[in-house]
Amino acid sequence: MAADQLLFSYGTLQNPDVQLDTFGRLLVAEDDVLPGYTVDYAEIEDTRVVDLSGLSVHPIVRATGSALDKVVGKALWVTEDELDASDEYEVALYRRVQVRLASDRDAWVYVSV
C-alpha cells in the first residue's frame, strides 16, 4: 500500500519512537504550516501514550479562523492503514479532520474535540 496520504503533525507523531511503535517504520516528513489554528495543551491520562511519548502533556490544536494564527509542524506521508493506526494512538481528546496546509496540500490533522 502506497504512502499517499498526508498527516500533519505538530507533536508526538514526529517522535521516532512513536512512529516505530505506531507505524513500524520512520515516516517521510516535510516541513509545513497549518494556517488558521493555534496550539493549546492537554493532560494525557492514557498510560500507554504517556509511556511511549515520554510526556503527560501533549499539544492540541484548535481552529481560530484567523489568518494571523498558524501551527508549524511536519507533513507525514502515511498509508490508509497507517491513518487507522494513528487513530488508535490518539486519545479521545482528539479527532481527525481534513485541512488545507500552507503548501496548498490537503492533509489530515488531529484537532481538539
Side-chain angles (χ1 to χ4, degrees):
M1 188 177 289
D4 61 356
Q5 299 287 313
L6 281 177
L7 176 61
F8 183 76
S9 174
Y10 51 86
T12 60
L13 285 174
Q14 295 178 44
N15 180 314
D17 291 336
V18 172
Q19 288 184 12
L20 289 171
D21 186 78
T22 305
F23 309 114
R25 69 182 182 98
L26 295 177
L27 303 177
V28 174
E30 302 168 1
D31 292 337
D32 216 323
V33 174
L34 177 61
Y37 284 76
T38 189
V39 178
D40 289 325
Y41 292 89
E43 184 78 29
I44 305 300
E45 296 178 4
D46 185 317
T47 56
R48 182 188 66 82
V49 173
V50 171
D51 290 346
L52 183 56
S53 70
L55 302 169
S56 63
V57 176
H58 288 202
I60 190 167
V61 298
R62 63 176 172 79
T64 65
S66 170
L68 299 175
D69 292 326
K70 65 181 178 180
V71 176
V72 175
K74 301 279 186 186
L76 308 173
W77 287 99
V78 296
T79 66
E80 290 283 344
D81 287 346
E82 289 168 337
L83 277 177
D84 292 340
S86 66
D87 286 345
E88 290 179 27
Y89 169 77
E90 295 295 350
V91 297
L93 298 172
Y94 298 82
R95 67 184 170 94
R96 181 165 46 99
V97 299
Q98 197 158 40
V99 294
R100 177 67 52 123
L101 300 176
S103 63
D104 205 32
R105 299 181 294 180
D106 291 327
W108 296 102
V109 67
Y110 289 95
V111 300
S112 178
V113 173

